[in-house]
Structures are given as C-alpha cells and as structure tokens.
Amino acid sequence: MGVIRVGTASWANRRQLASGWYPRPVRTAAGRLAHYAARFDVVEADTSLYAIPAPEMTEAWAAATPAGFTFDVKAFGLLTGHPTALAAFPADLRPDGVDVTTRLRRGDLPIEAIDELWHRFHQALDPLEEADRLGAVVLDFPGWLAYGPGARRRVLDTVERCAHRRAAVELRHPSWFEGTRAAETLLMLHEAGASFVCVSDLHGLSVTAEPALVRIEDGPGSPGEGEDERRLADWADRLRHLAADADEVHALVDTREAHRDAERLADLVARRPSRPGLRAV
C-alpha cells in the first residue's frame, strides 16, 4: 500500500489568505509556508504557472520546510500552451516591438527562446531537488487543448522536456476521455512515464506513473462552501483504493475552504484505513 499525502493546491493564494486559516501574526510569505508545512507535507506550487521563480525563491521554499516535505510544481504556463502576460517574461527574452499589455503564445517566440525558458524553469527547480523537496512537475494543459495527433505530440514533447524529473499531465478537454480514447490517453501517459492528474470526478482515478496525483475541487452543488463530511469521507475511501496501485498518492485540495477541507480529509484518511498496512500521512 502506498503513502497518501494530503495538501492544498497553493498555500497562500488570495482566496486562502482571505479564509482566515492563517493566524494574524503570520504575515510573511516564509512564515505562512512554515505554518503550512507544520500541518501538511505536500503542496502544489502554482505561482510558477504565471512566472518562472528565481532559484533564490525556491531555495527559500526549501529552507522554510522540514525534511520530508514535497512540492509539486506547476510548469510555466507558456510552456504548456497558456497565453502569458509579457510582464511575466524575463526582460532579455521579450520580443521587440511588442506592447507591454500583450499576452504571448508559444508561436510568438523562436524555439531558442522556448529552450531558454525551459532551461530557466529547470534552474528554478534545482534547489528543491537538491533539498529533496521536489515531487512532480505538473503540466497543466489549457482546457481548450482537444485530442488529436498534434495535441498528442504536444503533450509527449512537453513531458520529454521535463528530462529526468517526474512529470504529471493535467488534461481537461473531454475529448481525451471519450469512449476508447480514455484508455488510449492513459496508455500514452504510462508509456511516457508521466502521471495522470485526476481532476475530481471528471475522468476517474488512474495510476499511470509515480506519484499518483489527484486534484479535489468544489462540487457544482455547493458553491461557496467547503467540502461536506460525506464527500470527504468518500474521497478518503477512493484515495485508499488508489494507494493500492501506487507507492505514493498526492491529494491536492483546491476548494473554497482548501486548508480546512484538507485537514479534515487528512484526518479521515489517517483514522480510517480500509486495509491493513496502509500508511497515511
């Protein structure tokens, strides 16, 4: 049986800061991360989706967390096809003659610039890997990326860009999971050595590589509310079943009350093991 790690998707976005979960005296970024890491042992770093962090920043993340803590890090959005604000680009890589309000796409940049962005993104991951804090590189593809030969090549090429690091692929367009394509998509990821990011109830739970990643989001019937106890208990059971096929499961809660829901989910997983030998953290 695998280890189940429960945390949140981001540790201090605006919604989380407004929730009141962090005590008032905890006001700095380092303080919030240390407070978070004293209660959870995994988190998804999502700020890297919008801009590549400096290595000094990721080194500070590692320093603020204890041994055994893990960061799943989202890849810089342009690298997975998201239009990206020009201001998020390193100044020396910005195209000439482009208005500062422009949102750039991959096709707007020469391949040399894309190569350099990947190089700098990997440099940002180095301090986490050296501190044994790096989990998976999360490749969050845009919701409009539909199944097709070109899209398959895009996904596989991006996984290959992760080099020796573990990649996790998040696909939201339903065409990847229609009929027999679901099995084809999962086989594609398995053969590429990439984890399938299971997003709530969209496409089921499957293990294609280590670690297995699950993103738990608010249900459509409860806008503005945290996950209810019944649904969290159901998720705890499902995570245990998934852990039967994976060495490690990362459950990343992304709800309106993410920290509180994650605390409750972690408690449910820890005190109700469904089979002997299951380790829950």
Side-chain angles (χ1 to χ4, degrees), residues 80-125:
T80 52
H82 293 272
T84 305
L86 181 66
F89 279 74
D92 60 315
L93 296 182
R94 297 175 187 174
D96 295 330
V98 178
D99 187 86
V100 70
T101 62
T102 300
R103 295 182 69 81
L104 296 178
R105 301 176 183 273
R106 281 171 54 105
D108 297 325
L109 296 174
I111 187 61
E112 294 80 10
I114 300 296
D115 291 342
E116 181 62 20
L117 286 172
W118 272 110
H119 174 67
R120 295 186 191 187
F121 176 67
H122 280 295
Q123 282 186 317
L125 299 180

Side-chain angles (χ1 to χ4, degrees), residues 18-269:
S19 72
W21 186 77
Y22 287 102
R24 285 184 178 274
V26 181
R27 295 181 178 275
T28 67
R32 289 177 184 130
L33 181 53
H35 181 82
Y36 176 98
R39 289 150 183 83
F40 301 105
D41 64 358
V42 67
V43 74
E44 181 180 69
D46 70 341
T47 56
S48 50
L49 178 69
Y50 308 103
I52 297 175
E56 293 80 8
M57 177 178 289
T58 54
E59 185 176 1
W61 293 354
T65 55
F69 190 86
T70 297
F71 291 88
D72 293 326
V73 182
K74 277 196 173 183
F76 181 46
L78 181 129
L79 301 176
T80 52
H82 293 272
T84 305
L86 181 66
F89 279 74
D92 60 315
L93 296 182
R94 297 175 187 174
D96 295 330
V98 178
D99 187 86
V100 70
T101 62
T102 300
R103 295 182 69 81
L104 296 178
R105 301 176 183 273
R106 281 171 54 105
D108 297 325
L109 296 174
I111 187 61
E112 294 80 10
I114 300 296
D115 291 342
E116 181 62 20
L117 286 172
W118 272 110
H119 174 67
R120 295 186 191 187
F121 176 67
H122 280 295
Q123 282 186 317
L125 299 180
D126 286 342
L128 296 177
E129 185 168 57
E130 291 165 4
D132 197 23
R133 301 287 197 278
L134 183 61
V137 177
V138 181
L139 304 175
D140 175 13
F141 288 93
W144 49 258
L145 185 70
Y147 177 93
R152 283 176 56 93
R153 287 194 297 272
R154 171 70 62 83
V155 170
L156 294 175
D157 288 348
T158 309
V159 169
E160 188 173 346
R161 288 279 200 165
C162 290
H164 62 286
R165 289 170 168 142
R166 296 183 292 182
V169 172
E170 185 169 331
L171 298 166
R172 289 184 179 252
H173 197 280
S175 61
W176 293 91
F177 304 95
E178 293 172 345
T180 59
R181 285 181 184 168
E184 293 174 11
T185 296
L186 296 175
L187 179 61
M188 173 188 74
L189 297 179
H190 173 70
E191 290 179 341
S195 300
F196 167 58
V197 180
C198 314
V199 182
S200 285
D201 301 313
L202 287 179
H203 312 300
L205 306 184
S206 298
V207 179
T208 59
E210 297 288 345
L213 266 68
V214 180
R215 187 183 307 286
I216 300 173
E217 299 179 339
D218 274 316
S222 56
E225 300 177 1
E227 296 285 342
D228 60 73
E229 199 74 15
R230 182 175 178 179
R231 187 177 183 218
L232 287 171
D234 177 64
W235 268 114
D237 288 338
R238 297 174 71 183
L239 292 173
R240 292 189 202 102
H241 288 302
L242 192 64
D245 298 320
D247 293 335
E248 191 165 312
V249 175
H250 295 183
L252 304 169
V253 181
D254 191 11
T255 63
R256 291 183 180 274
E257 294 287 341
H259 291 118
R260 295 182 178 89
D261 289 336
E263 287 177 326
R264 291 158 65 195
L265 178 60
D267 181 61
L268 287 166
V269 168

